[in-house]
Amino acid sequence: MSQAASATVETAPSNRLALAALILGGAAIGGSPIFVRLSEVGPMATAFWRVALALIPIVLFSLIKGKDAGPKPEKLSDYGLLVLPGVILALDLAAWHLSITMTSVANATLLANLAPVFVTIIGFLFFRAVVTRLFVIGLALALAGVVILKGGPSAFGNGDLAGDGIATVAALFYAGYILAIGRLRSRFDTIRIMLWSTASAAVTIFPLALAFEDQILPATAYGWAMVFGLAFVSHAGGQVAIAYALAYLPAAFSSLTLLLQPVVAAILAWILLSEAIGPMQAIGGAVVLAGIMIARRG
């Protein structure tokens, strides 16, 4: 499968490194539900700290790279393109966190993971991406694995129609974020993209946090540790790795690999929160991995 809108696929070693970065990025973001659940502040405030605190390592790394950070934006349209992914990401986070308060966690997670479907459809319709039958089979299998992981089709029975709709909108926003980052990687360095998109995400989500949350600041050192972990590990680590990978891998496949997130979240919940992993979760995780491997061959 190829993606006309993404950067040109380069050498095999670069592809292998990009795939490793993509998997590590997906694993890092997979830990975000744990940090969100353990956070002392509400979901919107947690989302704000996720991007605001992530600016610390991103800015530091940007200063270290200096002139090696690649081309700078020159026109007003360049700045707009660099800001756009952050605005989309902020809307994605806001919609997903809001959906969690309106529908079941299972529904919110399952529907938010429709992002690879939207990436594939948008890429095919608007960017002339070539989608093979094998990739579609892998995509369907991976999505089925996520459904199994979350308890099977019966998990959808406890949701709310409006909340389910908002979770689906969150998936659409995340698809837009992946596609926007993928197109930018053909022109700008990873760290420059992450600096602008993370800053714009923080600016966008801050008024939402003020409007929806009674408490913005964590009250204890433990609370600050959770939001710092979310910012440094899941965003600064995970999103930077994904942005790097999108220079070498098609956006549709990259979004599909991110279905590893619920698998990682289940494993971390088992380790850190003593949430049992039953046969259903184990089978679901295996099916997700099988689907990704099949899609990779497509």
Side-chain angles (χ1 to χ4, degrees):
M1 182 189 63
S2 64
Q3 173 94 18
S6 64
T8 302
V9 177
E10 298 185 6
T11 62
S14 295
N15 287 342
R16 287 196 291 269
L17 181 59
L19 182 60
L22 186 65
I23 293 172
L24 288 174
I29 297 177
S32 62
I34 306 300
F35 288 117
V36 172
R37 186 181 304 182
L38 297 177
S39 175
E40 292 181 344
V41 293
M44 293 292 181
T46 301
F48 166 70
W49 289 118
R50 171 180 184 156
V51 288
L53 294 175
L55 283 170
I56 298 173
I58 291 174
V59 168
L60 288 176
F61 192 66
S62 177
L63 293 174
I64 291 172
K65 291 199 71 173
K67 295 181 180 179
D68 294 331
K72 295 181 179 180
E74 298 176 354
K75 300 178 293 185
L76 185 61
S77 59
D78 291 339
Y79 290 101
L81 289 173
L82 285 167
V83 166
L84 180 61
V87 175
I88 297 174
L89 179 63
L91 295 174
D92 161 59
L93 292 174
W96 186 62
H97 286 311
L98 181 60
S99 71
I100 291 176
T101 67
M102 298 177 64
T103 188
S104 66
V105 173
N107 280 26
T109 304
L110 287 169
L111 292 169
N113 278 300
L114 289 175
V117 176
F118 290 124
V119 170
T120 302
I121 293 173
I122 295 171
F124 177 75
L125 292 178
F126 297 101
F127 302 125
R128 299 180 182 178
V130 177
V131 181
T132 66
R133 182 179 301 177
L134 195 58
F135 176 82
V136 173
I137 293 172
L139 172 61
L141 189 61
L143 289 171
V146 174
V147 173
I148 296 170
L149 181 69
K150 292 299 179 180
S154 60
F156 283 101
N158 300 321
D160 172 82
L161 186 60
D164 290 348
I166 293 173
T168 305
V169 170
L172 183 58
F173 279 133
Y174 195 69
Y177 171 77
I178 290 292
L179 288 167
I181 292 291
R183 290 179 66 82
L184 281 173
R185 280 297 282 121
S186 64
R187 296 182 56 195
F188 297 106
D189 184 77
T190 300
I191 199 65
R192 191 175 302 282
I193 295 171
M194 291 308 302
L195 179 61
W196 281 91
S197 63
T198 301
S200 61
V203 171
T204 302
I205 208 165
F206 181 64
L208 296 175
L210 287 178
F212 285 96
E213 304 288 11
D214 296 326
Q215 179 183 349
I216 300 294
L217 298 175
T220 67
Y222 171 85
W224 280 109
M226 292 303 101
V227 291
F228 266 104
L230 179 63
F232 283 24
V233 176
S234 295
H235 192 86
Q239 295 292 355
V240 166
I242 291 166
Y244 168 80
L246 282 167
Y248 305 96
L249 301 173
F253 175 72
S254 299
S255 65
L256 173 60
T257 307
L258 298 183
L259 289 178
L260 286 171
Q261 294 176 27
V263 179
V264 173
I267 294 173
L268 291 177
W270 170 56
I271 296 173
L272 301 176
L273 303 177
S274 300
E275 294 186 3
I277 294 181
M280 182 81 74
Q281 287 73 32
I283 293 172
V287 172
V288 169
L289 294 175
I292 291 172
M293 291 176 66
I294 292 173
R296 175 60 175 164
R297 291 183 177 273

